[in-house]
Amino acid sequence: IEVARSDCGIFIYQRKYTLDLLDGIGMLGCGPQNSLIEVNYQFCSWKTKDSAKEVDHHFCDEGADPFDKERYQRLVGILIYLSHTGLIFAYSLSVVSQFMHNPRGLHLEAVYQILRYFKSAPGKGILFSRHGHLKFETYTDADWADSKVNRRSTSEYCSFMGGNLVTWRSKKQTVVSRSSAEAKYRARVQGVCELIWLKRLLKDLGIRHEHSMRLYCDNKAVINIANNPIQHDKTKPIKIDRYFIREKLDQNIICIPFMESKNQLVDILTKTLSSTGFIL
């Protein structure tokens, strides 16, 4: 990781490592791409001799050939290391990481497209600068039932401390959610846990933070569930999560303000965006 200091702040990036990587795999002269994954492209797994898992081949490219597993795993591992200096790679890497056990040609092509994007922007990174405050803010969202293999949702969050991005994550949920509100509520719980962890980390460093931490939400149903003390049948699947968030609200540890979907920063971690939306 390279570090550049200026009057604007501290900028961390991995330009040299990226170019060395592309040179090492023979892609230094490849054509650049302006997006990480093709929009609306569906990925899936294949049934193998060692697995009895059923696969919906309607969403698969059945003509895709298997590929060298070790090479695929090595490339994805390198890309995961590169994601340490940029949240924009988190969603695409979470997608290709799901096929480590049995990669195919189309999965490898997705990895190559990510590498071609690195060619177009080898110097991307994160800027840490002083904003004059120490506010905690987290943006969370979920893409409901986006997996065509098992219909599990993808939840994600990104956290800011003092106006600077410090943590982010994009991960498939462990259970199937029956509604978009349920999927988004599970994502909110992960965001709350991240905020609490950051607050405890600062406390260990001798810095106390007494103000409410903001958990931004673009779904009014989720906000209503969090603030409504009455239990309904539809909220039974998330009963424990509901009480957890309710407790933190009552203790004034967090607040959940509403925000418009167009201002939702974690869309880049939720789904594949077009090149225009991705750049913006």
Side-chain angles (χ1 to χ4, degrees):
I1 295 179
E2 299 173 71
V3 179
R5 299 175 181 269
S6 68
D7 295 337
C8 297
I10 299 174
F11 183 70
I12 62 173
Y13 59 104
Q14 294 173 280
R15 185 177 186 276
K16 183 179 185 302
Y17 182 84
T18 302
L19 296 177
D20 290 344
L21 164 64
L22 294 173
D23 187 29
I25 62 177
M27 293 187 63
L28 189 59
C30 68
Q33 289 278 353
N34 57 5
S35 62
L36 285 162
I37 291 183
E38 184 180 346
V39 178
N40 296 327
Y41 196 88
Q42 304 295 343
F43 295 90
C44 72
S45 300
W46 270 260
K47 184 176 180 180
T48 63
K49 295 181 180 179
D50 299 329
S51 174
K53 185 177 180 180
E54 295 295 331
V55 175
D56 186 355
H57 287 282
H58 177 70
F59 297 100
C60 300
D61 182 0
E62 297 187 36
D65 297 324
F67 189 75
D68 183 6
K69 181 188 299 187
E70 292 184 1
R71 176 175 172 81
Y72 182 85
Q73 292 175 345
R74 183 175 65 86
L75 289 175
V76 174
I78 293 173
L79 290 175
I80 290 175
Y81 179 76
L82 283 172
S83 68
H84 292 167
T85 54
L87 86 162
I88 59 176
F89 316 117
Y91 173 74
S92 57
L93 292 180
S94 71
V95 171
V96 297
S97 297
Q98 297 174 27
F99 308 101
M100 294 284 220
H101 61 288
N102 189 24
R104 298 285 173 142
L106 75 153
H107 301 141
L108 180 67
E109 181 55 37
V111 172
Y112 282 155
Q113 180 157 341
I114 296 173
L115 289 168
R116 287 192 287 268
Y117 177 82
F118 277 107
K119 172 62 184 301
S120 68
K124 280 189 177 292
I126 304 176
L127 176 65
F128 297 96
S129 56
R130 179 176 295 181
H131 296 279
H133 63 82
L134 193 61
K135 296 179 181 178
F136 282 85
E137 300 171 309
T138 292
Y139 297 81
T140 64
D141 202 358
D143 193 4
W144 179 47
D146 64 315
S147 174
K148 304 304 179 183
V149 177
N150 51 24
R151 286 300 179 181
R152 292 181 181 177
S153 307
T154 299
S155 59
E156 53 285 314
Y157 62 79
C158 60
S159 301
F160 291 80
M161 184 172 62
N164 295 302
L165 177 67
V166 289
T167 61
W168 60 89
R169 189 182 191 187
S170 178
K171 185 177 178 62
K172 185 186 292 186
Q173 295 181 0
T174 57
V175 296
V176 177
S177 298
R178 299 177 59 187
S179 67
S180 60
E182 181 181 338
K184 290 176 181 291
Y185 206 88
R186 296 185 193 278
R188 297 296 180 272
V189 171
Q190 293 184 0
V192 172
C193 293
E194 187 69 13
L195 284 173
I196 294 174
W197 178 81
L198 288 172
K199 186 174 183 177
R200 290 176 178 173
L201 178 62
L202 278 190
K203 184 178 179 180
D204 291 341
L205 296 174
I207 303 174
R208 300 187 63 86
H209 185 275
E210 303 297 341
H211 302 288
S212 295
M213 299 177 290
R214 303 177 71 86
L215 185 72
Y216 289 103
C217 179
D218 62 354
N219 189 296
K220 291 185 177 180
V222 173
I223 297 177
N224 292 334
I225 292 173
N227 290 283
N228 190 351
I230 301 176
Q231 175 74 27
H232 294 281
D233 290 341
K234 292 183 178 180
T235 61
K236 284 184 178 180
I238 53 174
K239 184 177 181 180
I240 302 299
D241 294 337
R242 179 178 172 273
Y243 278 112
F244 175 74
I245 290 185
R246 180 68 187 176
E247 180 183 70
K248 303 309 175 185
L249 286 170
D250 292 341
Q251 295 174 352
N252 201 32
I253 293 177
I254 64 170
C255 61
I256 309 179
F258 176 76
M259 62 173 300
E260 296 183 2
S261 297
K262 65 180 181 180
N263 298 323
Q264 182 59 274
L265 297 182
V266 292
D267 275 350
I268 202 169
L269 300 177
T270 311
K271 58 183 76 71
T272 304
L273 300 179
S274 63
S275 58
T276 302
F278 187 78
I279 295 173
L280 294 176

